[in-house]
Amino acid sequence: MRRTRRSPVPDKACIEAQDLARAAAAEIGRPEWVGEHLGTQVEDNRLVTHFFECLDPAYPGWHYAVTVVRAARAKYVTVNESVLLPGPDALIAPEWLPWKERLRPGDLGVGDLLPAPADDDRLMPGYAQIADEELAEDGEDKQMLWELGLGRARVLSEAGREAAAKRWYSGPSGPHSPIASAAPAKCATCGFMVPLAGELRQMFGVCANEYAPDDGRVVSLDHGCGAHSEAALPETGSEPLTPVVDEMGYDTIVFDDTSELELVSSEQQTRK
């Protein structure tokens, strides 16, 4: 048969040792920081933990936990452990993260080094190297070799290109920014746009207009701003003014009998 473990029996001497536990809590802090007794917890036979409120202003929501113990057939209680523990509403430090996961764009400063790890999925090995003596100086296309990645140990992988494209396209230099929505035309038709190399040139380029807000930055081809090379001021034509009739300055009177109107007109002609 399976034997069930009995619940530990509360030890009277350990439970009554509040003064001993309070003194132990004061040793790891200050006497004025040890607040009221919050209760006890029976850990095992002759093993009890006392809890005290922590009044240290630097540790709100924490509490002191002092475990006391009494040996078998012993008369005196001794301190086994005293620690400061956080409560449910305690202010604690966030979970530790490696520096690689804590790093954010813009954290790199002058003199800082950020080596790319060997297993960085954003990079892949470069293509095979070509010795200089194998190609004639006149026939070597250095621009083509550079775009293919020759001469570099590692180049962007597919995952690296997708991550960069997603970040650039959803950022302030993409098509969804307010300045792009109000632009007269897209960057794809702007003379100041310099296309990128490789597959990224299908979606992105670099702005070369010193007056544009994205000068020297990567922009999507469907981005835009008011400094477009083909932007023109709206034509202001001169339209004839329509005469304004002031209908509030006179009243229209309709005569039923026009004989009086003819009499007034004949008297005006006689005076002239």
Side-chain angles (χ1 to χ4, degrees):
M1 295 179 62
R2 190 180 222 176
R3 298 179 61 183
T4 59
R5 183 178 178 181
R6 297 179 180 179
S7 301
V9 179
D11 187 81
K12 181 179 179 181
C14 291
I15 293 178
E16 293 178 351
Q18 292 188 19
D19 295 338
L20 176 65
R22 180 179 292 274
E27 291 182 0
I28 63 175
R30 294 182 180 179
E32 62 269 20
W33 289 349
V34 182
E36 63 176 335
H37 187 260
L38 301 179
T40 58
Q41 179 177 335
V42 179
E43 307 291 349
D44 206 341
N45 294 331
R46 301 181 299 278
L47 187 66
V48 176
T49 300
H50 293 266
F51 299 98
F52 298 91
E53 181 184 6
C54 178
L55 302 179
D56 186 354
Y59 290 88
W62 291 61
H63 58 267
Y64 294 100
V66 180
T67 303
V68 295
V69 63
R70 185 178 65 85
R73 293 184 297 275
K75 297 181 179 180
Y76 300 102
V77 178
T78 59
V79 176
N80 183 42
E81 184 183 21
S82 57
V83 293
L84 184 63
L85 298 178
D89 300 328
L91 181 63
I92 58 177
E95 184 180 357
W96 183 86
L97 293 175
W99 67 269
K100 181 180 178 181
E101 300 180 16
R102 298 196 308 266
L103 196 63
R104 292 294 179 266
D107 291 347
L108 193 66
V110 178
D112 296 337
L113 295 178
L114 182 60
D119 57 348
D120 196 334
D121 58 353
R122 300 173 301 171
L123 299 171
M124 60 180 294
Y127 298 96
Q129 307 298 307
I130 298 178
D132 295 337
E133 60 271 9
E134 295 183 5
L135 293 176
E137 184 67 24
D138 296 338
E140 182 179 354
D141 191 346
K142 296 183 178 181
Q143 179 65 26
M144 180 194 68
L145 296 180
W146 171 259
E147 292 193 6
L148 290 177
L150 298 177
R152 290 178 287 170
R154 289 188 290 180
V155 295
L156 270 179
S157 63
E158 182 178 358
R161 290 193 299 269
E162 290 181 357
K166 182 178 180 180
R167 185 173 62 253
W168 295 342
Y169 200 78
S170 59
S173 298
H176 306 299
S177 60
I179 193 172
S181 302
K186 304 301 182 182
C187 291
T189 59
C190 182
F192 296 106
M193 194 274 297
V194 181
L196 294 183
E199 295 182 357
L200 292 176
R201 72 183 297 131
Q202 302 177 12
M203 293 182 61
F204 302 100
V206 177
C207 179
N209 188 348
E210 60 179 327
Y211 300 108
D214 296 308
D215 178 39
R217 300 177 182 177
V218 176
V219 294
S220 64
L221 298 184
D222 48 0
H223 183 65
C225 70
H228 194 279
S229 61
E230 310 306 320
L233 294 175
E235 298 181 358
T236 56
S238 57
E239 299 180 357
L241 298 177
T242 304
V244 179
V245 179
D246 186 6
E247 298 181 354
M248 301 297 296
Y250 63 89
D251 297 330
T252 303
I253 302 176
V254 180
F255 292 93
D256 296 335
D257 187 4
T258 59
S259 59
E260 297 181 1
L261 186 60
E262 295 176 357
L263 179 60
V264 173
S265 177
S266 60
E267 289 180 356
Q268 290 179 355
Q269 293 178 359
T270 305
R271 292 175 183 176
K272 293 181 179 180

